[in-house]
Amino acid sequence: MSARTLYDKVWDAHAIADLGGGEWLLYIDRHFLYEVTSPQAFEGLRAAGRKVRRPDLTLAVADHNVPTENRGGGLAAIRDSDSRTQVATLERNAAEFGLPYAALTSARHGIVHVIGPEQGLTLPGATIVCGDSHTSTHGAFGALAFGIGTSEAEHVLATQTLIQKRSKTMLIRIDGELGLGVSAKDIILHIIGVIGAGGGNGHVIEYAGSAIDALDMAGRMTICNMSIEAGARAGMIAPDEKAFAWLEGRPCAPRGSAFDRAKAHWRELRSDAGAVYDRVVEIDAAQIAPMVTWGTSPEAVTTISGVTPDPEAESDPARRARVASMLRYMGLAPGQPLSGLPVDVVFIGSCTNSRIEDLRAAAAVAKGRRVAEKVRALVVPGSAAVKAQGEQEGLDLVFRDAGFEWRDAGCSMCLGLNPDRLAPGERCASTSNRNFEGRQGPGGRTHLVSPAMAAAAAIAGRLVDVRSFLA
Amino acid sequence: MTPFTQLRAIAAPIPLANVDTDMLAPAAFLKTVSRQGLGRALFHAARFNASGAERPEFPLNREPWRHARILVSLENFGCGSSREHAPWALLDFGIRCVIAVSFADIFYSNCCKNGILPIALERQVVDQLLVDAADAKTAELAIDLQQQTITRSNGEIVPFVIDSQRRARLLSGADDISETLAHSAAIASYEERVRADTPWLATTPLLAWRDA
Ligand code: SF4
C-alpha cells in the first residue's frame, strides 16, 4: 500500500460504504451534543419516529447558555428564560432518548471540548463529531474530529454515520524553539495570519515538527481548536507518548492490558514516510512573537509590536472596504500601534484556552500583581475538574488576590449567549477563538490573545507585550 | 427537504469576503429550539439599527432586493461556526441559492441539507454577477440545477459545477437518513469488527453515569 497520512489512516479505518461520486459512509465513534444546535435534531428524530442508534457513544452537556456564577443552583439559577428552555430541552431530550448527560452540577460538567478529552472519550484514531465547529480540538490526540450541522447531528444520532467526502490534506510543519512568552495560541494565530481565514478550506490540517512535539497536550488542543478559524475541516496531530500518558487512567479510556493493546495500535497512527499532502506550509517557530488580532476576522492579526494596516494600501477594492470597516468597528485608526491600547475587559477562558495549563500560564503573570483599575477580568475554567484542580493548586487565590473573578465552568464570554458579555463599544483582550462583530456581545470589540498576554493586559490595563512581565 | 430544480429570482449583492455565521445568524437568535422564524436574524446587525428599525442602505431592505431569493458574495462565505441557524435564517428570509467565490465547508454542506444551492464561481464571474445584482434592471437571474446554468438578464449563460451526488440530492430533495438506514447491515457488521479489532472504540462506560 502506498504511503498514507495520519488522516488517510483514520479515514480508511472508518469509511464503511462507497456511495459513489466520492461520497462515503463514515462511521462515527463519539458524538457530543449541547443545548444550542441539538433541539432541532431531536425534533427531527421524533417527527420520523427514529431512535438513537448508539446512546453509549453519545454525550450531552449544556455549556453555551449556562451562567458561570451560582452553579450550585442548577437549571433554576438560569435567569434568562430562553436559555433555561434550551438547557431544559436538552435535559428532556437526553432523558427521552436515553443519552448520557453531564448535568450542570456534576463534577464532570464543562465545555464539551474540554470534558471530552478529560473523560478519556477522545481517543487516538477515533472519529468524533459535534454540532460545533471547534470540535477540531480533539484532533490533538490523533482523532479525526470535526464540526457538523444540526441535520448531520440528526443523521449521526439515527445511524452513527455521516455521509462524507475525503478532504484534501495540508501539512503545517513548525520547527524550532518558541521564544520566551510565546505559546501555542501565538503559533495558531500566526498560522492563520499566514494562510488566511479561508486558507484551510476543504483541507484537514496535520500539524507536525519539533515545536509541536515540544508542546504539552493543552497547547496541542489550542492549536487544533483553532484549525476551523483557518477554514480547515479538522486539525490533527500524531499521538505520541505524551498523549498516551495524558490519557492513561482517564475515566473512559481503556485500562490495564486493554490500554497497552490500544497503545500499540496508536503508535501506528502517524503519517508514513513519503506520504503526500495537497499542500505543505513550513513555519519557523523562532520567528513567532506574541500575537494579537486587530480586526473582526482571526486572520486580521499581527504581533504585539505591530500596527493596524492602512486600507489605502490595499489594491483590491473589496479588501480595502473590508479593512476599513473592520477598523471602524474596532474603533481603531490606520497605522495605530496595538501595544498600549486600553482594554475594558479581560476574558481568560473558552475551549481554546481554559485548561489547567492555560490558567497556570495566566496565573504566573498575575501572581503578586493587581488588575488595573476599571478593568473587569474574568477567569473561567473550562470544566468543573479544571476548576477543582486550579483550587487545589491555589490558582483561585492568585487570581482573586490580583482582582480577577474566578467563575464556574462554561463558554462564558466566548460568545454572547449567557450573562457574561461585552457591552457595546467595550474592548476586550480575550483568550477565545473568534473576534467576529458582536461575537462577545453586540458592539463588543475583541482582541484575541494568549492566556499570558490576557493576564498581562489585565494588569497593565492595556494591550502589552507579556515578555516585559517575564524578563 | 424541498427539492431544488429551477429558480428565477432577484439576486442581492453582498460584496464582502468572509461573511461569517455570526452575521448570518447572530448569537442572540440561537436560543430557539425550532428551525423556523429565523428570517429576522439574517444579517441582523447590518439590516436593523439598535432600535430594531431597518437600515435603508442595506440591500435586503430595498426594492426589489427585499424579495431576493439569491445572494451573490465573495470569498469564504459562511465561515465560522457550524450553526445550521445560518442556512435556516437564509431559508426563512426566502434565499434558496448563494453564489460566492468560495464557501466555508460546514456551511456548504449545511446549505445542501436544507435545499439551498451553493454555487462557487471564479472571482471574475462573481464580480460580473455582483454588477448585475446591484442594478434593479439586471438583478434577476435564472438558475437551472439540472442544466447547471445561471442565465443572466441579458441572456448570457454562465455554467457552474457541483458534484453529482449533491446535485442529485438537491434535485430529489432526498432524505439522507432513510438512504443511510438502507446500509444498516453494513453498519452493524462494521460495529462487529470494531469490537474485535479496536475494542476501546466500540463502546464507553457512559451509560453507567448517573448524572441526570
Ligand atoms: S467556548 Fe466558545 S468556541 Fe468553545 S464551544 Fe463554547 S462557544 Fe464554542
Side-chain angles (χ1 to χ4, degrees):
Chain A
M1 201 183 288
S2 61
R4 294 186 300 163
T5 64
L6 168 60
Y7 169 69
D8 293 332
K9 292 183 183 184
V10 181
W11 171 277
D12 292 347
H14 291 84
I16 61 178
D18 184 350
L19 305 177
E23 287 188 336
W24 286 78
L25 210 54
L26 194 73
Y27 193 83
I28 301 302
D29 297 315
R30 304 286 184 265
H31 184 195
F32 303 133
L33 296 150
Y34 64 102
E35 77 279 19
V36 181
T37 57
S38 64
Q40 298 85 352
F42 288 110
E43 184 187 277
L45 287 184
R46 251 190 307 267
R50 290 174 176 137
K51 296 190 320 230
V52 175
R53 181 180 176 90
R54 294 294 304 271
D56 60 322
L57 303 181
T58 311
L59 173 62
V61 65
D63 52 5
H64 285 58
N65 272 279
V66 304
T68 57
E69 288 174 301
N70 189 17
R71 181 55 47 81
L75 185 63
I78 305 181
R79 278 199 220 111
D80 180 277
S81 68
D82 290 341
S83 291
R84 202 172 51 242
T85 301
Q86 240 178 12
V87 176
T89 303
L90 182 67
E91 290 191 351
R92 217 178 30 246
N93 283 328
E96 179 184 335
F97 288 91
L99 305 184
Y101 175 66
L104 290 179
T105 50
S106 153
R108 302 171 178 119
H109 178 268
I111 304 174
V112 60
H113 308 309
V114 175
I115 66 173
E118 204 167 77
Q119 295 299 327
L121 290 164
T122 302
L123 294 175
T127 48
I128 302 175
V129 296
C130 171
D132 182 274
S133 58
H134 295 99
T135 308
S136 56
T137 310
H138 308 266
F141 293 87
L144 172 58
F146 52 91
I148 57 175
T150 299
S151 298
E152 289 178 311
E154 185 182 336
H155 194 278
V156 177
L157 286 168
T159 70
Q160 204 58 34
T161 66
L162 270 179
I163 299 170
Q164 289 288 300
K165 291 181 91 164
R166 195 185 274 265
S167 295
K168 288 188 274 189
T169 53
M170 183 187 304
L171 173 66
I172 300 187
R173 272 200 80 85
I174 307 120
D175 283 312
E177 242 177 85
L178 290 177
L180 178 76
V182 182
S183 71
K185 182 66 164 287
D186 302 300
I187 297 182
I188 188 65
L189 285 171
H190 177 89
I191 289 172
I192 297 165
V194 170
I195 70 173
N201 280 357
H203 291 78
V204 168
I205 298 177
E206 179 178 342
Y207 303 94
S210 62
I212 298 294
D213 295 340
L215 287 177
D216 58 29
M217 292 314 298
R220 295 181 193 179
M221 283 189 258
T222 299
I223 292 193
C224 289
N225 172 279
M226 286 189 71
S227 300
I228 181 68
E229 307 310 330
R233 194 87 178 101
M236 300 179 85
I237 293 173
D240 59 3
E241 298 305 315
K242 220 185 269 185
F244 309 149
W246 197 97
L247 287 169
E248 189 159 15
R250 303 266 162 192
C252 299
R255 293 175 178 273
S257 61
F259 189 81
D260 294 334
R261 187 177 159 206
K263 207 156 68 167
H265 184 93
W266 294 339
R267 289 202 174 102
E268 307 296 317
L269 287 172
R270 43 189 55 253
S271 294
D272 298 327
V276 178
Y277 298 82
D278 295 287
R279 186 175 170 197
V280 177
V281 176
E282 297 197 354
I283 286 172
D284 177 4
Q287 298 299 318
I288 304 175
M291 304 295 285
V292 53
T293 62
W294 55 265
T296 55
S297 163
E299 71 180 15
V301 66
T302 182
T303 65
I304 182 63
S305 48
V307 299
T308 59
D310 182 355
E312 294 310 316
E314 293 285 348
S315 54
D316 179 68
R319 283 191 60 92
R320 196 181 314 137
R322 168 106 175 127
V323 170
S325 99
M326 289 200 285
L327 290 176
R328 207 175 318 118
Y329 181 84
M330 293 297 289
L332 298 170
Q336 185 169 347
L338 273 312
S339 181
L341 200 60
V343 297
D344 306 298
V345 179
V346 168
F347 170 56
I348 298 174
S350 90
C351 59
T352 312
N353 280 131
S354 63
R355 297 179 182 81
I356 191 69
E357 293 84 347
D358 300 311
L359 304 193
R360 286 181 193 137
V365 174
K367 195 175 170 99
R369 297 187 166 106
R370 283 291 306 171
V371 170
E373 223 180 301
K374 294 206 189 104
V375 171
R376 180 159 64 111
L378 263 63
V379 180
V380 187
S383 67
V386 170
K387 185 177 191 219
Q389 173 77 23
E391 288 171 359
Q392 205 181 325
E393 296 180 17
L395 302 185
D396 56 328
L397 297 179
V398 170
F399 285 121
R400 283 200 160 118
D401 287 349
F404 289 83
E405 298 176 38
W406 175 255
R407 296 293 191 85
D408 292 310
C411 294
S412 183
M413 207 182 270
C414 178
L415 92 174
L417 267 188
N418 58 70
D420 305 338
R421 63 179 78 169
L422 297 179
E426 274 189 326
R427 191 176 296 285
C428 177
S430 175
T431 67
S432 54
N433 43 55
R434 245 169 223 163
N435 52 357
F436 298 162
E437 283 190 18
R439 168 80 182 181
Q440 295 191 283
R445 294 163 170 164
T446 304
H447 295 276
L448 301 176
V449 290
S450 72
M453 282 281 286
I459 305 297
R462 49 196 68 237
L463 295 177
V464 62
D465 193 334
V466 65
R467 291 173 294 195
S468 63
F469 283 69
L470 301 173
Chain B
M1 155 180 121
T2 321
F4 188 109
T5 49
Q6 289 173 334
L7 176 68
R8 174 182 288 278
I10 298 291
I14 309 287
L16 297 173
N18 296 317
V19 168
D20 62 59
T21 50
D22 283 74
M23 293 160 78
L24 296 171
F29 291 88
L30 302 186
K31 296 187 183 188
T32 174
V33 293
S34 158
R35 292 174 201 243
Q36 268 81 45
L38 280 156
R40 196 171 164 84
L42 186 68
F43 290 114
H44 191 268
R47 257 170 81 206
F48 303 101
N49 66 21
S51 56
E54 289 186 356
R55 295 180 195 270
E57 71 278 12
F58 194 73
L60 296 182
N61 290 333
R62 287 161 48 201
E63 292 295 342
W65 297 279
R66 58 168 70 246
H67 310 291
R69 309 200 68 195
I70 302 167
L71 293 184
V72 187
S73 191
L74 296 174
E75 291 84 4
N76 203 24
F77 191 93
C79 63
S81 106
S82 62
R83 60 185 71 155
E84 207 157 309
H85 306 71
W88 295 335
L90 288 166
L91 214 51
D92 198 57
F93 181 89
I95 305 293
R96 290 295 307 277
C97 172
V98 182
I99 301 172
V101 178
S102 59
F103 290 90
D105 296 337
I106 305 176
F107 176 81
Y108 187 93
S109 116
N110 281 341
C111 278
C112 295
K113 303 266 179 204
N114 286 280
I116 298 175
L117 170 64
I119 301 180
L121 294 169
E122 295 288 321
R123 172 72 192 257
Q124 247 178 314
V125 185
V126 170
D127 280 342
Q128 185 57 61
L129 295 177
L130 278 171
V131 172
D132 285 1
D135 185 337
K137 292 193 290 298
T138 53
E140 193 177 83
L141 300 176
I143 293 164
D144 187 328
L145 179 56
Q146 189 72 47
Q147 302 298 325
Q148 298 184 208
T149 57
I150 302 169
T151 308
R152 298 173 57 200
S153 64
N154 66 2
E156 192 200 323
I157 288 179
V158 179
F160 66 87
V161 188
I162 179 167
D163 80 62
S164 55
Q165 297 292 107
R166 284 208 161 108
R167 175 165 159 272
R169 286 214 195 83
L170 279 164
L171 284 170
S172 68
D175 170 10
D176 292 355
I177 295 178
S178 34
E179 281 182 19
T180 297
L181 288 172
H183 294 273
S184 291
I187 298 171
S189 76
Y190 178 83
E191 287 171 330
E192 197 61 47
R193 212 162 70 229
V194 171
R195 268 192 287 281
D197 295 349
T198 50
W200 53 88
L201 293 179
T203 186
T204 72
L206 284 178
L207 290 179
W209 281 20
R210 284 284 166 262
D211 268 11

